[in-house]
Amino acid sequence: MELGGSLPLMRARLLFLPVFAYLASCAPPPSSSKEVLQTVLPPPLTGTAGDRSTAWHDAKQTFDQRCVVCHGCYDSPCQLVLSSAEGIRRGATKTQVYDGSRLLAIEPTRLHVDARDVPGWRGKGFYPVLPEGEHGDPHQALLVRMLELKREHPLPLGGALPDGFEIGLDRTQQCPKSEEFAGFAKDHPSWGMPYALPALASSEHTALVEWVTTGSPTRPDAPLAPAVLDSIDRWEAILNQPDKKARLTARYLYEHLFLASLYFAGIDERTFFRMVRSRTPPGQAIDEIATRRPFEDPGTDKLYYRLSRRESTVLSKTVMPYPLSDARLERFRELFLDADYEVDPLPAYDAKTSANPFAAFRALPVKSRYRFMLEEAHFTMSGFIKGPVCRGQVALDVIEDRFWIAFVDPESPIVGHEAALLAEAAPDLALPAEQGSNGLLVNWRRYAKSEVRFVEAKSKYLSGLATSPKLVTLAQIWDGDGHNPNAALTVLRHFDSATVVKGFVGGDPKTTWVVGYALLERIHYLLVAGFDVFGNVGHQLHSRLYMDFLRMEAEHNFLTFLPKARRRAVVEAWYRHTDNQTKDQVYGKLARFDQETGIAYRTARPERELDELLADHLRPVLTLKYGIGEETDESLKSQLAKVALLSGKAATLLPETSFLEVRTNDGSYKYFTLLRDSAHLNVAHLFHEDQRRAIDEDQVTVLRGFVGAYPNALYSVAQADLPSLVGALTALDSAQAYDSLRARFGIRRTDGRFWEVSDRIHAAYRELEPIEGGLFDYNRLDDR
């Protein structure tokens, strides 16, 4: 599907949309307050507190290490989330969150939010996996029977999975209830838990079964430290000041931080909180107001912003750390509370206003809003990567496999004069969320026309502002104020998931984005605050297609720094096999900028030169921790450098994301990530991505540590054998060659060492990333 103007063709194709698995949220809402949590748990058990505590401790450890790696959030088969006691007691359902074909939105089923107790979840169609009621037989509990089925029919170790297993995101899910289990076991005897992975060790199996048979006891979390409680009090006092300026500020902060894993820097950096809207003020138990989107009408005039403790296990795919501190509090005061502006009246919560941040927050200074998002840009972009649109190929084929992001300097005249443009263009910046979750496909034409009007207004605005080439220099690129590493980001797509990291990683990217305030804000309200994973196909499709416009704007901004004569040629290279109308959306008749660059170029490839200039400009703040060039072992570095040179078919045969464990000569372990950069002729179409692949241009990015929450393959090798692995990688020329490589060096699903390697990987990740290090997800592990 062409973008940027092929509307008749677009409408025709929309009439015949196939059923497809589309956008989905991997970011489950965090847990509710402890007071609400306790209403879900069973009454106290008989027996000593020590016995109950030990039983839960042992079971929880097994759940985390062996179960949550597949049952962690919305990705969990049958919506069975095992990362918290509430999720286990909620149970499972046959309803799928991810259904891109549904014509009507469904009711949300967000754990900890959309029901507050077990009866509430039963009313929403969830059925138990634990025994319930006075006469519940623990040995007939679904969880125990699934574990026992695995014990009776263990997975054969070594080689490929036996016939009959289905793996991958789009596999058919079997979600039997207890009364259906006998039929399930007869039809699929080898599908016990853990599914398509080695069985639990005897001690782990016993820990889970004994926990269930003794009544599934739990224990409360450790009390919060006095310093943490004091910090909560200070933040909640600031967030709930009664004047209009403070109320508007708090609303803006909440709508941007509602998915954040908030923590108190320097005090406790592994206890996370989230910001919620509550009917009750500080000092009382939190009574959360649950709405589909954070900007929807709370239905009450008495609204309080509170910090609620997250209770679930930390997951790599969902954790988005955001530090709170006294310095951050003062920074928010400076940006919003002490700034010189008036708020009168407060914005309403009608759809047209609340879904459009340029209307709702018009009173807040543009520079303050931009600074707030910019100074934690990695977090801001992580909402797009880890939040509501983090799952599925169709959700992510809107972006290239690896690209860099730089930002417009907040002190630039471009930002200084932007408020006037946004005020004038606000109606054309309306986002699909204003339609709610039952969007109509026929409304797409209206958004396309609005985008054309905004692009034309922006082109006129920039041309009028740029009276000399001095505007178009690297001085307009934010340098992180000389110390902030958020100034340079890299986004890495892994086909149906993605990662964003600080710094410019890998070789020359195909494209680079330059992002300013309006673009950053729209990305957030389109794909984070405004996206509803439970919405219908119209809402989901509008969100995906609108993101094409935002990508094109970011690419256009980069092009303006190039020589005028080179801009269209670069667009031609980026958008091969697309029509001129699409290219004009990036740079041409629609997106125009007639001013010449103020940068003096020396080569015939200024786009590559500009990337180098950006890296030099941002070098003081570039993060280097992912670079293999920083590896101290020269022999190891030289071998990894050979892998980084892989291209074409050898690269194509590799999975999207591979974790490599190297046992070094001194007996320690080092870890690296191998990413396949899949090249495309263009990313301007919605379907048939395989027909737009340019496999001869595929490359491999090799990084230190772990990048990506969903590994497709695991490798473990002694350093002495690393040259053999590298030799096999460089010689890859067929699927059979890759199978041989995996058989020799891979840790497959059937490998008897699987859980041993998994435990080392998670321990290493926690050591490398002590704040955000969480569990990886194995739902995308392949079986090649």
Side-chain angles (χ1 to χ4, degrees), residues 516-574:
Y517 165 66
L519 195 53
L520 198 59
E521 194 77 271
R522 279 190 291 161
I523 289 174
H524 177 77
Y525 275 85
L526 175 72
L527 300 176
V528 185
F531 182 76
D532 178 17
V533 68
F534 303 97
N536 78 334
V537 63
H539 164 68
Q540 296 181 7
L541 187 61
H542 283 164
S543 301
R544 159 60 179 80
L545 293 176
Y546 197 102
M547 183 56 199
D548 279 281
F549 294 147
L550 303 188
R551 182 198 68 246
M552 290 173 174
E553 282 190 46
E555 292 170 342
H556 170 86
N557 293 343
F558 175 80
L559 293 171
T560 61
F561 289 85
L562 296 178
K564 184 177 176 181
R566 182 64 179 167
R567 295 168 190 166
R568 183 68 180 202
V570 174
V571 175
E572 296 287 345
W574 289 350

Side-chain angles (χ1 to χ4, degrees), residues 19 100 128 167 304 320 419 480 495 559-560 627 653 688 698 704:
V19 174
I167 58 175
Y304 304 92
M320 291 190 286
F495 186 66
L559 293 171
T560 61
L653 288 167
H688 308 301
D698 284 359
R704 293 196 301 164

Side-chain angles (χ1 to χ4, degrees), residues 447-598:
Y447 291 111
K449 287 184 175 181
S450 294
E451 175 65 13
V452 168
R453 287 194 297 268
F454 174 69
V455 167
E456 290 177 338
K458 179 183 174 184
S459 297
K460 182 179 178 181
Y461 156 74
L462 290 175
S463 295
L465 190 63
T467 57
S468 75
K470 292 182 179 180
L471 180 74
V472 194
T473 68
L474 293 179
Q476 309 309 317
I477 298 296
W478 184 48
D479 66 357
D481 302 320
H483 61 83
N484 192 329
N486 285 278
L489 304 178
T490 301
V491 174
L492 305 119
R493 180 195 170 196
H494 323 301
F495 186 66
D496 53 19
S497 67
T499 308
V500 57
V501 298
K502 294 176 183 175
F504 290 156
V505 305
D508 293 334
K510 178 181 176 182
T511 63
T512 297
W513 292 9
V514 175
V515 175
Y517 165 66
L519 195 53
L520 198 59
E521 194 77 271
R522 279 190 291 161
I523 289 174
H524 177 77
Y525 275 85
L526 175 72
L527 300 176
V528 185
F531 182 76
D532 178 17
V533 68
F534 303 97
N536 78 334
V537 63
H539 164 68
Q540 296 181 7
L541 187 61
H542 283 164
S543 301
R544 159 60 179 80
L545 293 176
Y546 197 102
M547 183 56 199
D548 279 281
F549 294 147
L550 303 188
R551 182 198 68 246
M552 290 173 174
E553 282 190 46
E555 292 170 342
H556 170 86
N557 293 343
F558 175 80
L559 293 171
T560 61
F561 289 85
L562 296 178
K564 184 177 176 181
R566 182 64 179 167
R567 295 168 190 166
R568 183 68 180 202
V570 174
V571 175
E572 296 287 345
W574 289 350
Y575 288 84
R576 289 171 284 177
H577 296 189
T578 60
D579 61 18
N580 286 332
Q581 199 167 8
T582 298
K583 297 168 187 173
D584 284 345
Q585 191 83 32
V586 186
Y587 188 87
K589 295 179 180 179
L590 292 177
R592 303 182 305 277
F593 185 70
D594 297 327
Q595 179 65 57
E596 186 57 86
T597 180

